Amino acid sequence: ICIDFDTAALITSDGEKIETVNEYSGANGSREKAFKDARPSDLPFLDGRCYTISADSLISDNFRIFMQKFHITAGIFSCISDGDRMTYLCLLSYGEGRIWHSDDIDFTKRACSILRARAQMWKTQSLLQGADDFMKSFYDSAQFAVAIYGDSSKELIFRNKAADEIFADPMDEELFRRRFLIGDSVEEAVKAPKEFAATGSGDMYMVYTNVTLWQDSTKVDVFTITDITKQKQYQKKIRESADLDDLTGLYNRHRFHLDFETCINDAVRSKGQGTLI
C-alpha cells in the first residue's frame, strides 16, 4: 500500500518559528517550500492533534484561510511529537477533488509510528551523547583519576586524563589489572579502599571501587583513584621525627624502648634468652 500526494513535508515548530526538516514534491507539488515564510500562528493544525482534510470536508474558518493562503485543497497533518517542539508529517494535495480514503489514513498512521520510533531513538542517542560528552568533560577537569572497565570483559571503557598520567607506564597498568581486575579482586576492592603504589613514579594512590551499570545497561567496574603521596610522605616524616634525635639523627629513647620491647617479646615467644649491651 502506498499513498498519492503532491507534497510531503516534515516540519518542526518551537512556537516561534517553523523549520522544514525534509520535503518531497511529486509531479504536481509546489516548487517552493510547502509553508514558505509561515509562522506558527499561520498553521492551525499545530495543536498536538492529527487532522485529515479532504476536498469535500467541512472545515473551520481558520483552516479555510490557512489552506487558501498556501493553495492546499486537501491534506493530512499527523503529529509525530509534541511538547516544547512539535513535529508534524504533512501530506498535501493541490489538485481538485482529492478525497482521502481509509488506506491512505492507515498508511499515514504506520509511517508516523515509524517516524515516532526514529525520533525517540534520535532523541535518546542525542541525550546519551550529551551525557557522555558532559561526563568526559567533567572527569577530564577533575583532580582525581577515574578508570572504568567492563565487569565481565575487563576491557577499558573510559579513562580520564588524570588516569592516563597514572598509567603512562605500562607496568603500572598491568600491576593495577592484576590487583584490582583479576579473579575476585573487584569484589574484595568494593568492600574497602585499597592502596596502590606506582612503580614508575613511586607515587602512592588510594583506590575506591564501585560496580554499577553503564549507559547501555552493562555492568561496569568504576575505579576512583586519589593521590595520597604527600599524605604518605607526611606520615613517614611524623614517624621519623618521633624516633630520631634532632641533633644527631640517631634513634632516640622512644625508639629504643620500642625496639627493646620487641626483642623481649621475641625472646619470650621463642623461650630463649637475651643480653642487653
Side-chain angles (χ1 to χ4, degrees), residues 9-14 16-22 33 35 38 40 43 85-88:
L10 189 64
I11 67 168
T12 66
S13 173
D14 58 2
E16 296 182 358
K17 60 182 179 179
I18 303 294
E19 293 183 7
T20 301
V21 178
N22 203 348
K33 286 186 178 181
F35 305 115
L43 309 182
R85 177 174 286 274
M86 290 187 292
T87 304
Y88 265 82

Side-chain angles (χ1 to χ4, degrees), residues 89-202:
L89 172 63
C90 306
L91 304 180
L92 311 176
S93 177
Y94 303 112
E96 299 295 331
R98 183 67 166 93
I99 306 297
W100 304 108
H101 299 289
S102 59
D103 288 345
D104 299 328
I105 298 172
D106 289 342
F107 178 88
T108 305
K109 287 181 178 179
R110 294 174 188 173
C112 287
S113 296
I114 295 172
L115 289 173
R116 286 191 192 97
R118 291 295 299 273
Q120 184 60 42
M121 180 185 69
W122 291 331
K123 181 178 181 181
T124 301
Q125 288 178 340
S126 178
L127 289 172
L128 288 175
Q129 183 62 43
D132 188 51
D133 292 342
F134 172 79
M135 183 196 70
K136 290 179 179 178
S137 176
F138 172 78
Y139 283 129
D140 277 341
S141 63
Q143 297 299 314
F144 54 86
V146 176
I148 302 175
Y149 295 83
D151 184 68
S152 57
S153 67
K154 306 305 179 186
E155 295 295 327
L156 179 67
I157 295 176
F158 171 78
R159 196 164 67 191
N160 68 350
K161 291 180 181 179
D164 286 337
E165 294 176 1
I166 294 174
F167 299 119
D169 187 333
M171 180 60 70
D172 287 335
E173 183 169 12
E174 181 61 27
L175 290 174
F176 182 88
R177 280 182 168 275
R178 291 182 181 182
R179 180 163 190 193
F180 293 97
L181 290 169
I182 295 177
D184 298 329
S185 298
V186 174
E187 287 75 9
E188 294 173 359
V190 169
K191 297 176 183 178
K194 295 184 180 299
E195 293 183 0
F196 172 71
T199 59
S201 62

